[in-house]
């Protein structure tokens, strides 16, 4: 019916809006991208009509942006953000939403520009402040300024500021600045607000009921046999790892801004449950040994990789993204003077032995020794997850 009305009244906002909404509902009912595209096209047409009420324009623009984000078409959402901002320049939310879209696109540069302008006009807006602080921390690596904005933004308790990402990076910046008491207060406040599982366990993608403890023993695991098998074969794995180290350029530097100083590189074999075929062919025996371990190779929230750390390295305290995996380290080349702290306990690796820990807990690494340290890292699903969960959890 709406199609018919549109045919007769091509410039009727309400007719086009009806068509768009119908397609939108159909898209959801039939889970159809074709209908969704049709809905988005129609919403865009509505926005191009000149005699449209403010109320309708807002409603359509908001829904259109919502659907474009859902579709992952962030670039196409930008002009709509801009036109709604142009029409309603005094509504801060539209400008914050533009910044959010830029952030989702990882376009820190544009996001920062938008937020900067917002804060000139509304210096007390909490949402703009936390996002601005987040960019200063992640993109500019300006810890002091980041702390200032994150702290002030969170203290407003405006909608959207009580978010684990902002708490995590505020705490992290404070730790790096040596302000560990303030960091601890932030973490405890994060637990109070249900953003973190505990002051040490600060992963953001969690299944809440899972047992959380920093260290695990082989015997705690349903797959103890697997760990035994790899420990028996550890020299084979070590030899492959060392020969990889002897070829320049195979190991890639850590890129997540986790090191204070030093050199930490990794050679990936599996990522998010997907085998890196090319790399696997370079260490076939290791790969074959791992293949009999479905909870590891199928762990879509983890990786399997060789990890090498050089003398003089310090890795800042950090938490992994999820409590749904455990992380096991097989010691391959372990000089003296290398340490790992998980929560409040420090241990070291042993050649041919596994250390198993939950990397959603805060952990930190020092290499105070004099020669290369090499380990194999194998992530595996947390043993309390159901089969259904292992099949369906997203791959954060
Ligand atoms: C980790 C980590 C790796 C290493 O495994 O999560 O942070 O190679 N350290 O010491
Ligand atoms: Mn780590």
């Amino acid at each position: 019916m709406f199609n018919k009305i549109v045919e007769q009244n091509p410039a009727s906002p309400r007719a086009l809006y009806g068509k768009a909404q119908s397609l939108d509902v159909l898209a959801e009912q039939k889970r159809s991208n074709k209908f969704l595209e049709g809905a988005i096209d129609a919403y865009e047409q509505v926005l191009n009509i000149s005699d449209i009420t403010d109320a309708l324009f807002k409603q359509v623009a908001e829904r259109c942006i919502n659907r474009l984000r859902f579709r992952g078409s962030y670039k196409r959402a930008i002009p709509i953000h801009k036109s709604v901002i142009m029409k309603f320049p005094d509504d801060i939310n539209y400008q914050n939403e533009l910044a959010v879209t830029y952030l989702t696109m990882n376009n820190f540069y544009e996001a920062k520009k938008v937020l900067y302008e917002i804060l000139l006009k509304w210096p007390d807006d909490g949402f703009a402040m936390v996002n601005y602080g987040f960019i200063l921390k992640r993109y500019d690596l300006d810890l002091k300024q980041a702390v200032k904005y994150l702290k002030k933004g969170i203290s407003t308790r405006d909608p959207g500021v009580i978010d684990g990402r902002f708490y995590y990076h505020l705490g992290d910046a404070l730790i790096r600045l040596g302000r560990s008491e303030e960091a601890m207060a932030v973490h405890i406040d994060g637990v109070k607000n249900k953003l973190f599982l505990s002051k040490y366990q600060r992963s953001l993608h969690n299944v809440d009921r899972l047992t959380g403890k920093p260290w695990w023993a082989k015997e705690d695991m349903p797959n103890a046999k697997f760990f035994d098998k790899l420990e028996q074969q550890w020299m084979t794995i070590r030899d492959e790892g060392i020969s990889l180290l002897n070829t320049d350029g195979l190991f890639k530097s850590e890129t997540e801004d986790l090191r204070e100083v030093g050199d930490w590189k990794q050679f990936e074999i599996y990522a998010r449950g997907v085998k890196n075929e090319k790399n696997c062919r370079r260490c076939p025996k290791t790969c074959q040994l791992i293949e009999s371990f479905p909870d590891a190779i199928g762990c879509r929230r983890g990786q399997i990789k060789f990890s090498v750390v050089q003398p003089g390295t310090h890795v800042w305290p950090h938490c992994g993204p999820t409590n749904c995996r455990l992380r096991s380290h097989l010691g391959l080349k372990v000089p003296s003077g290398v340490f790992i702290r998980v929560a409040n306990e420090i241990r070291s690796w042993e050649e041919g032995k596994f250390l198993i820990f939950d990397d959603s807990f805060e952990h930190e690494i020092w290499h105070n020794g004099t020669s290369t340290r090499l380990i194999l890292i194998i992530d595996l699903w947390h043993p309390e997850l159901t089969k259904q969960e292992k099949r369906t959890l997203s791959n954060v």
Side-chain angles (χ1 to χ4, degrees):
M1 285 181 75
F2 277 119
N3 265 336
K4 233 188 211 161
I5 307 172
V6 169
E7 253 171 54
Q8 283 153 16
N9 307 277
S12 156
R14 297 220 69 83
L16 263 170
Y17 183 46
K19 177 179 168 177
Q21 281 187 303
S22 308
L23 287 164
D24 199 338
V25 170
L26 270 172
E28 286 200 3
Q29 272 177 6
K30 300 198 187 291
R31 297 165 166 266
S32 151
N33 280 333
K34 207 178 120 236
F35 283 125
L36 183 53
E37 282 299 326
I40 291 170
D41 285 339
Y43 284 131
E44 284 178 336
Q45 285 172 36
V46 180
L47 297 174
N48 284 328
I49 296 171
S50 51
D51 62 339
I52 166 178
T53 64
D54 282 358
L56 185 61
F57 191 92
K58 284 184 182 177
Q59 206 173 330
V60 172
E62 283 170 26
R63 182 64 185 169
C64 191
I65 289 167
N66 172 298
R67 292 297 81 192
L68 284 165
R69 282 179 175 170
F70 174 78
R71 196 81 183 92
S73 307
Y74 302 108
K75 218 171 147 188
R76 192 169 160 192
I78 300 295
I80 300 171
H81 280 293
K82 288 187 174 165
S83 66
V84 78
I85 290 170
M86 195 106 89
K87 241 174 134 94
F88 308 104
D90 295 326
D91 191 329
I92 183 173
N93 287 329
Y94 292 128
Q95 300 183 45
N96 273 327
E97 287 303 315
L98 173 59
V100 168
T101 294
Y102 278 132
L103 269 171
T104 317
M105 298 164 79
N106 273 325
N107 190 339
F108 289 102
Y109 177 80
E110 289 297 334
K112 190 179 172 190
K113 278 207 303 198
V114 173
L115 291 163
Y116 181 82
E117 292 297 325
I118 296 173
L119 289 169
L120 284 181
K121 196 162 162 187
W122 293 278
D124 297 323
D125 185 66
F127 190 79
M129 273 191 271
V130 286
N131 280 286
Y132 195 70
F134 183 77
I135 293 173
L136 290 169
K137 163 73 167 55
R138 299 291 291 152
Y139 176 70
D140 296 319
L141 311 180
D142 182 345
L143 300 179
K144 264 201 182 139
Q145 287 294 102
V147 164
K148 212 177 93 186
Y149 282 95
L150 285 167
K151 244 189 163 166
K152 196 154 169 241
I154 287 173
S155 76
T156 64
R157 307 196 72 83
D158 283 350
V161 308
I162 309 299
D163 179 308
R165 285 175 312 141
F166 303 133
Y167 274 69
Y168 184 92
H169 285 289
L170 172 55
D172 190 54
L174 287 165
I175 290 174
R176 293 180 187 208
L177 290 166
R179 294 155 66 177
S180 48
E181 269 175 37
E182 279 173 85
M184 191 54 90
V186 170
H187 296 154
I188 288 169
D189 191 41
V191 177
K192 249 187 231 147
N193 284 289
K194 299 200 174 350
L195 304 173
F196 303 137
L197 293 164
S198 73
K199 65 181 182 184
Y200 280 131
Q201 196 178 19
R202 303 193 299 277
S203 50
L204 300 179
H205 302 273
N206 303 314
V207 169
D208 287 352
R209 66 161 205 286
L210 301 178
T211 298
K213 56 177 182 174
W215 296 98
W216 289 65
K218 262 194 311 186
E219 296 71 38
D220 297 337
M221 315 290 282
N223 335 79
K225 271 199 326 252
F226 170 81
F227 291 106
D228 288 336
K229 184 171 104 183
L230 263 71
E231 285 183 347
Q232 279 155 23
Q233 302 285 324
W234 77 276
M235 289 191 199
T236 309
I237 300 171
R238 175 198 60 191
D239 292 348
E240 279 193 335
I242 288 182
S243 78
L244 289 170
L245 269 180
N246 290 333
T247 309
D248 277 351
L250 289 180
F251 280 69
K252 304 283 180 240
S253 262
E254 174 270 327
T255 55
E256 291 173 82
D257 179 37
L258 294 177
R259 273 167 297 162
E260 179 187 16
V261 281
D263 184 349
W264 172 21
K265 290 192 173 71
Q266 302 177 336
F267 180 83
E268 198 170 82
I269 307 176
Y270 277 83
R272 300 176 166 197
V274 179
K275 184 172 171 176
N276 183 326
E277 296 282 352
K278 204 167 141 218
N279 284 357
C280 248
R281 280 196 291 276
R282 291 183 176 272
C283 51
K285 292 176 190 157
T286 303
C287 254
Q288 210 202 338
L289 282 165
I290 301 163
E291 249 148 46
S292 59
F293 192 7
D295 271 353
I297 61 174
C299 182
R300 270 175 295 96
R301 290 194 167 188
Q303 297 116 46
I304 302 175
K305 57 199 180 186
F306 286 101
S307 174
V308 64
V309 173
Q310 300 298 348
T313 302
H314 173 226
V315 177
W316 287 116
H318 64 282
C319 300
T322 177
N323 76 338
C324 294
R325 73 183 188 209
L326 298 180
R327 180 155 272 197
S328 67
H329 283 181
L330 178 60
L332 299 173
K333 227 179 125 318
V334 184
S336 59
V338 288
F339 303 100
I340 175 167
R341 172 180 66 83
V342 183
N344 52 18
E345 190 183 333
I346 298 175
R347 295 191 188 179
S348 189
W349 297 267
E350 236 181 280
E351 291 181 355
K353 296 278 175 242
F354 270 103
L355 275 184
I356 307 171
F357 66 103
D358 182 335
D359 81 320
S360 62
F361 284 81
E362 181 182 295
H363 55 288
E364 178 175 13
I365 286 99
W366 302 266
H367 191 328
N368 302 331
T370 53
S371 68
T372 303
R373 187 229 59 183
L374 177 68
I375 60 175
L376 177 68
I377 298 179
I378 302 177
D379 291 335
L380 59 146
W381 287 121
H382 191 290
E384 290 164 5
L385 288 170
T386 64
K387 276 192 187 130
Q388 162 85 357
E389 285 168 327
K390 293 178 198 174
R391 259 202 315 274
T392 55
L393 280 168
S394 66
N395 59 353
V396 292

